[in-house]
Amino acid sequence: GFATMMGYLGVMAHTIGRSLVGTLLEIQRGTELMATVHPEHRHRVDTGDEIQSVAEEINRMADRVRDARLELEAEVARATSELHAERAKLSAVLSGLDEGVVVATFEGRITLANHSAQHLLGGAALLGQSLFDVVDREKIGHFRDRLRDGLGPAARFTLHPGGGAVLQAGMTPLLDSQGEMTGFILALRDVSRP
């Protein structure tokens, strides 16, 4: 009787253990699925015990992550839309100026230039080009470094881009949130003509 009882308990323990391990593996695979390729997948565990509670909590957590992701995507879309609108306004303002305006990174890569700047600097498309390809690298670098080192809020100097033109230039730093210089704005005016 004792051996039969022990055998019965062993079979029951084995059956319960297999069921428990199977359910845990199902939760593990489902959670990996949620986290990688199918964020809408949810656990469907109906054991009526703590394992079901764990699966339901994982489902609630996945819902919160999905909601946060959707909220973040909406916020990014809104910020991108506002950025495009601001950039369009800035472009409209810059295109109406008689002065040439160039916005460049600290390394001299042009990120924005109005039509007047393109005309003053040779007529070529400037966006994405290096400013140092069209004007004196040493002079621009000297005044850029002075601004970076805090030796004045703006710098005024002349440039000779070619073709006999003399440009009066004003350079203003672009600063990030920590106050570090990330680029500069260059305002250009042709002073070689009356």
Side-chain angles (χ1 to χ4, degrees), residues 22-45 51-63 65-66 69:
T23 304
L24 290 175
L25 285 174
E26 180 184 331
I27 291 173
Q28 178 190 9
R29 286 188 208 106
T31 304
E32 288 174 2
L33 192 61
M34 282 183 224
T36 55
V37 295
H38 186 39
E40 298 301 319
H41 176 77
R42 294 297 177 264
H43 295 299
R44 299 192 197 308
V45 176
I51 293 176
Q52 182 177 343
S53 297
V54 168
E56 290 170 353
E57 187 58 36
I58 291 172
N59 287 343
R60 283 190 290 276
M61 184 176 60
D63 289 339
V65 168
R66 181 201 58 219
R69 188 188 79 246

Side-chain angles (χ1 to χ4, degrees), residues 54-176:
V54 168
E56 290 170 353
E57 187 58 36
I58 291 172
N59 287 343
R60 283 190 290 276
M61 184 176 60
D63 289 339
R64 289 191 297 270
V65 168
R66 181 201 58 219
D67 293 344
R69 188 188 79 246
L70 292 175
E71 192 175 307
L72 180 63
E73 288 173 357
E75 182 66 23
V76 167
R78 184 191 59 75
T80 302
S81 174
E82 287 177 4
L83 179 65
H84 287 304
E86 289 298 318
R87 190 171 179 98
K89 286 179 196 174
L90 180 60
S91 293
V93 168
L94 290 178
S95 67
L97 293 176
D98 289 336
E99 285 188 332
V101 179
V102 175
V103 179
T105 64
F106 188 80
E107 296 77 22
R109 185 73 46 205
I110 298 172
T111 59
L112 184 66
N114 67 355
H115 296 296
S116 296
Q118 290 179 6
H119 175 72
L120 292 172
L121 295 175
L126 298 174
L127 196 63
Q129 302 298 317
S130 174
L131 182 61
F132 302 131
D133 291 342
V134 291
V135 294
D136 184 15
R137 174 186 293 270
E138 285 77 26
K139 190 177 275 193
I140 294 287
H142 169 75
F143 286 102
R144 177 200 61 195
D145 293 343
R146 285 178 52 89
L147 287 175
R148 179 195 60 206
D149 297 338
L151 300 176
R156 300 216 179 277
F157 51 93
T158 58
L159 291 172
H160 307 275
V166 178
L167 302 179
Q168 181 181 17
M171 183 184 285
T172 306
L174 288 174
L175 306 175
D176 64 10

